[in-house]
Amino acid sequence: MNFLKITSNLWVLISKKRKIQILLLIVVMLISGFSEMFLLITAIPYLKAITQPNEAWNNPFIKNLVALININSNAELISYLSVIFASIIIICSSIQLFNIWLNRKLSAIIGSELSVRALGKILNQPYEVHIRKNSSSVIASISKYIDDTVSMLRVSLEFITQIIISSFLLATLIYLDGVIALTAASIFG
């Protein structure tokens, strides 16, 4: 079976509530992509302030910050930018961790839901069917397939997250410097 057929079969089996949760998870993935893009955009003025402090004062973001906070020296500028940049890193990392936690939690919940459905079908069979079958091997098979399904779902959600984040980062790099972005994309895939 191919991946798309398995995914469409799985989509049919899960409840409407889980489908809505998957769609909300995609929104969190998009927010995660935006946060990574914002982190990359804010890294440039920060790095410029560290490496070329005199030229950094010409950056529009830094000009607004200087006017707002009344910064007088390069050392003050670097201190403020360090705090701002560290805060942005913490926020972006928190969003990433929340996204990973949601991916894993939703995968586990869907696996639990599928287990309940599968075991319910087995338990609701007539008594004669249970006598003829080795129920422990059936339950072991179901457990293995559910575990495999949960793993596939988790990896798929994480893959989608990484595709979204990579797309946002590539778009940002193309916006900032198209030649470098396309060179990096061709080298790193």
Side-chain angles (χ1 to χ4, degrees):
M1 278 190 153
N2 66 20
F3 178 75
L4 292 176
K5 187 169 184 173
I6 293 170
T7 305
S8 64
N9 289 342
L10 184 61
W11 186 259
V12 169
L13 292 174
I14 60 177
S15 67
K16 184 178 180 181
K17 181 179 181 180
R18 301 296 170 234
K19 290 176 185 175
I20 292 170
Q21 289 174 337
I22 288 174
L23 294 175
L24 291 173
L25 178 60
I26 291 172
V27 170
V28 172
M29 290 176 187
L30 291 170
I31 292 170
S32 184
F34 276 118
S35 72
E36 292 295 322
M37 179 180 71
F38 185 68
L39 179 63
L40 181 61
I41 289 172
T42 57
I44 292 168
Y46 178 67
L47 293 174
K48 187 150 199 141
I50 291 173
T51 58
Q52 301 167 340
N54 294 330
E55 290 181 31
W57 294 88
N58 298 328
N59 184 299
F61 169 75
I62 293 177
K63 282 183 181 179
N64 291 336
L65 182 66
V66 167
L68 181 69
I69 304 177
N70 194 20
I71 299 172
N72 298 320
S73 69
N74 287 339
E76 281 183 72
L77 177 64
I78 291 172
S79 297
Y80 279 107
L81 287 177
S82 295
V83 169
I84 291 170
F85 191 63
S87 300
I88 291 171
I89 289 173
I90 290 169
I91 291 168
C92 290
S93 298
S94 299
I95 292 170
Q96 279 285 13
L97 288 173
F98 180 66
N99 187 5
I100 292 168
W101 178 79
L102 275 180
N103 279 342
R104 291 176 179 252
K105 177 133 176 112
L106 187 57
S107 298
I109 289 171
I110 290 172
S112 177
E113 194 173 272
L114 292 172
S115 293
V116 168
R117 281 186 73 176
L119 292 175
K121 284 189 175 193
I122 289 173
L123 291 176
N124 289 327
Q125 291 180 345
Y127 180 69
E128 293 79 29
V129 173
H130 290 288
I131 292 174
R132 282 185 270 134
K133 288 184 181 177
N134 182 356
S135 59
S136 65
S137 66
V138 172
I139 291 172
S141 294
I142 288 173
S143 294
K144 183 194 178 323
Y145 287 125
I146 295 293
D147 286 345
D148 291 347
T149 302
V150 169
S151 294
M152 187 269 314
L153 182 62
R154 180 183 48 79
V155 168
S156 298
L157 291 172
E158 289 173 1
F159 180 73
I160 292 168
T161 300
Q162 295 310 315
I163 292 289
I164 289 171
I165 290 171
S166 298
S167 299
F168 275 98
L169 290 176
L170 185 60
T172 304
L173 288 173
I174 289 171
Y175 173 75
L176 295 173
D177 191 339
V179 174
I180 292 175
L182 294 176
T183 303
S186 65
I187 291 172
F188 297 115

